[in-house]
């Protein structure tokens, strides 16, 4: 069986490093990571209702006046991946009851077939792209707790970081970040312009990495940075 060896991976990483990378950020969907309180009525057979979104990070089901908190799995069950909430016969929830759902929504799972952000608001050229190696004592850290050290020779690991400016998407809530390669700007957009809005992008390029998270509320008084290591 054929095998892509490390020297080949290093060559691919070197090819990527030589090309222009953009960090794009976006709003995602407004319900990602949000808390909602809403009344629902059980119906059907078996009796259930569907929450407005999925996945679900946490759910509490109460009486409409919030006086009684129902328990799972004694009174109800729920599927975090679909948002379906089912009543349990013999529990404390009456047949056809209306209940109050206090729900914390998650963010949709990432898939390898993703090609774009859900709702991009802008993109900035990467501040730096460097070869790195794993190092427990390294001075570079990335999400997940890994630590790295910059390498002067090609490796299969590319450290990419960006620091967005103060007024870039200054009033937005950011819920997604992607790294693109080979994106192009529309004619007339200066080559030296580091930050592009979607109307200034001719071709978005290839999406290399995608991240989603609970909303980060932007402020014009701070710069927002992101950093990731691409493992080739």
């Amino acid at each position: 069986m054929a095998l892509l060896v490390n020297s080949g991976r290093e060559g691919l990483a070197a090819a990527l490093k030589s090309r222009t990378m953009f960090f794009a950020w976006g709003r995602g969907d407004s319900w990602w990571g949000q808390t909602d309180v809403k009344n629902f009525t059980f119906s059907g057979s078996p009796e259930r209702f569907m929450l407005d979104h999925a996945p679900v990070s946490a759910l509490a089901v109460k009486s409409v006046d919030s006086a009684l908190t129902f328990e799972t799995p004694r009174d109800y069950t729920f599927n975090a991946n679909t948002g379906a909430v089912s009543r349990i016969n013999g529990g404390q929830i009456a047949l056809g009851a209306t209940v109050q759902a206090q729900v914390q929504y998650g963010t949709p799972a990432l898939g390898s077939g993703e090609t774009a952000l859900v709702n991009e608001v802008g993109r900035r050229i990467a501040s730096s792209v460097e070869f790195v190696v794993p190092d427990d004592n390294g001075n570079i850290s990335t999400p997940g707790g890994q630590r790295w050290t910059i390498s002067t020779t090609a490796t299969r690991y590319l450290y990419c970081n960006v620091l967005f400016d103060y007024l870039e998407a200054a009033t937005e809530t950011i819920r997604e970040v992607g790294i693109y390669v080979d994106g192009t700007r529309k004619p007339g957009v200066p080559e030296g312009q580091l930050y592009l809005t979607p109307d200034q992008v001719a071709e978005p390029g290839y999406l290399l990495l995608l991240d989603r998270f609970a909303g980060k509320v932007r402020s014009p008084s701070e710069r927002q940075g992101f950093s990731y290591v691409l493992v080739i």
Side-chain angles (χ1 to χ4, degrees), residues 24-28 32 117-120 174-177 211 213:
W25 56 2
R27 303 180 187 95
W32 294 359
L117 274 63
V118 170
N119 196 349
E120 181 178 334
I174 302 300
R175 300 180 181 87
E176 55 182 347
V177 170
D211 192 12
F213 38 81

Side-chain angles (χ1 to χ4, degrees), residues 133-209:
V133 292
D135 181 355
D136 290 341
N137 298 311
N139 58 4
I140 295 173
S141 60
T142 52
Q146 301 97 330
R147 304 195 72 85
W148 311 83
T149 295
I150 290 177
S151 172
T152 56
T153 59
T155 73
R156 57 180 293 208
Y157 306 102
L158 279 181
Y159 171 72
C160 309
N161 83 312
V162 72
L163 187 61
F164 287 95
D165 214 342
Y166 294 102
L167 298 182
E168 292 168 355
T171 61
E172 297 284 356
T173 297
I174 302 300
R175 300 180 181 87
E176 55 182 347
V177 170
I179 298 178
Y180 285 85
V181 66
D182 289 350
T184 59
R185 60 192 68 213
K186 287 183 177 178
V189 180
E191 286 297 325
Q193 184 173 319
L194 300 180
Y195 186 79
L196 306 180
T197 53
D199 61 300
Q200 296 174 319
V201 177
E203 293 293 337
Y206 299 99
L207 182 63
L208 297 178
L209 175 144

Side-chain angles (χ1 to χ4, degrees), residues 10-33:
E10 292 163 1
L12 291 173
L16 281 176
K17 186 177 185 295
S18 67
R19 291 148 78 174
T20 300
M21 288 191 188
F22 282 93
F23 275 76
W25 56 2
R27 303 180 187 95
D29 281 327
S30 61
W31 60 267
W32 294 359

Side-chain angles (χ1 to χ4, degrees), residues 6 23 56 81 86-87 99 103 108 111 114 122 127 132 135 138 150 155 172-173 185 187 198 208 213 215 223:
N6 283 342
F23 275 76
V56 176
N81 294 318
S86 301
R87 188 184 71 88
V99 296
V103 56
E114 306 280 359
S127 302
V132 292
D135 181 355
I150 290 177
T155 73
E172 297 284 356
T173 297
R185 60 192 68 213
L208 297 178
F213 38 81
R223 303 185 72 180

Side-chain angles (χ1 to χ4, degrees), residues 73-91:
R74 183 193 66 187
D75 303 317
Y76 70 95
T77 61
F78 76 97
N79 186 318
N81 294 318
T82 66
V85 182
S86 301
R87 188 184 71 88
I88 299 298
N89 289 327

